[in-house]
Amino acid sequence: MLTRSQKFWLLILDFILFVACLGVVSHYAEGFSFEKILMAAHMWLITWVVLVLYYVFGLYELPRSSSVLKFIARIFVALAIALGLVILYNYLGAKERSGIFGRGILISSLLFFALLSSFNRWLLLRTLERQLKKTRWLFVCTREILQQFRADLVKNLFHGQIFYLIDAK
């Protein structure tokens, strides 16, 4: 549903939103400066893990309108897995611990990002659906397949103004 460039801009927006969420939450929770957050190597690892999991879970492919709740649930599952991976890395393998893991900063940042990301995708989906509903389609078909064709369009949530030319000669 999205073009390659639209997916790229959605990725860039996710990157900016995540870094902003991490910066805002850590500033209010611990008083960290935004520069300190940007200099933390762990922040870049967390960001990379989150964006890769978004890609793996197909969150750069927008769903049809019937599966929006499943799509939003995938956002939360991806972020829960990201949280688990980052906690494993931090507590099992990290030699230098960053302050962004303490006092619920990571969990709060992920929740804040999940809400913003879900809202962002919902807005994008609604905008694209509005554009699709304005699209006009003309189908040429026979009377025999018209009913099955209409049922398939409804089943697959086809959008737009649909016109039929039946038994054209």
Side-chain angles (χ1 to χ4, degrees):
M1 201 161 160
L2 292 177
T3 64
R4 180 177 265 172
S5 64
Q6 289 171 328
K7 291 176 188 178
F8 176 75
W9 286 110
L10 188 56
L11 172 74
I12 297 298
L13 182 61
D14 281 344
F15 172 77
I16 292 168
L17 279 175
F18 185 73
V19 171
C21 288
L22 197 56
V24 167
V25 170
S26 62
H27 176 73
Y28 284 109
E30 290 286 331
F32 291 145
S33 67
F34 197 65
E35 292 82 23
K36 182 178 180 180
I37 293 299
L38 290 176
M39 298 309 254
H42 296 299
M43 190 279 299
W44 297 109
L45 172 74
I46 295 167
T47 304
W48 182 81
V49 167
V50 167
L51 295 178
V52 166
L53 283 171
Y54 262 45
Y55 176 77
V56 167
F57 276 81
L59 298 173
Y60 293 106
E61 294 288 336
L62 293 182
R64 297 286 192 183
S65 58
S66 69
S67 62
V68 171
L69 289 177
K70 289 180 185 176
F71 185 73
I72 291 173
R74 283 197 329 237
I75 290 174
F76 283 92
V77 169
L79 292 176
I81 291 172
L83 177 66
L85 291 174
V86 169
I87 287 173
L88 279 174
Y89 167 76
N90 186 52
Y91 292 108
L92 296 179
K95 292 185 175 45
E96 173 191 331
R97 287 193 166 63
S98 174
I100 59 177
F101 295 102
R103 299 193 55 168
I105 293 173
L106 180 62
I107 294 172
S108 301
S109 297
L110 288 172
L111 286 175
F112 190 36
F113 175 67
L115 293 174
L116 289 177
S117 178
S118 299
F119 182 71
N120 179 39
R121 280 165 171 71
W122 179 79
L123 278 179
L124 183 60
L125 184 63
R126 294 295 163 238
T127 303
L128 290 174
E129 281 180 354
R130 247 184 273 123
Q131 289 175 349
L132 281 174
K133 286 181 182 178
K134 293 178 185 176
T135 305
R136 294 168 52 176
W137 299 90
L138 174 64
F139 293 103
V140 179
C141 59
T142 63
R143 290 187 191 281
E144 293 82 34
I145 65 167
L146 180 61
Q147 294 295 38
Q148 179 61 39
F149 188 67
R150 282 184 179 161
D152 287 343
L153 291 177
V154 170
K155 181 177 126 188
N156 293 313
L157 301 171
F158 191 82
H159 295 289
Q161 300 174 10
I162 303 170
F163 302 97
Y164 300 99
L165 183 58
I166 302 170
D167 293 332
K169 293 182 184 180

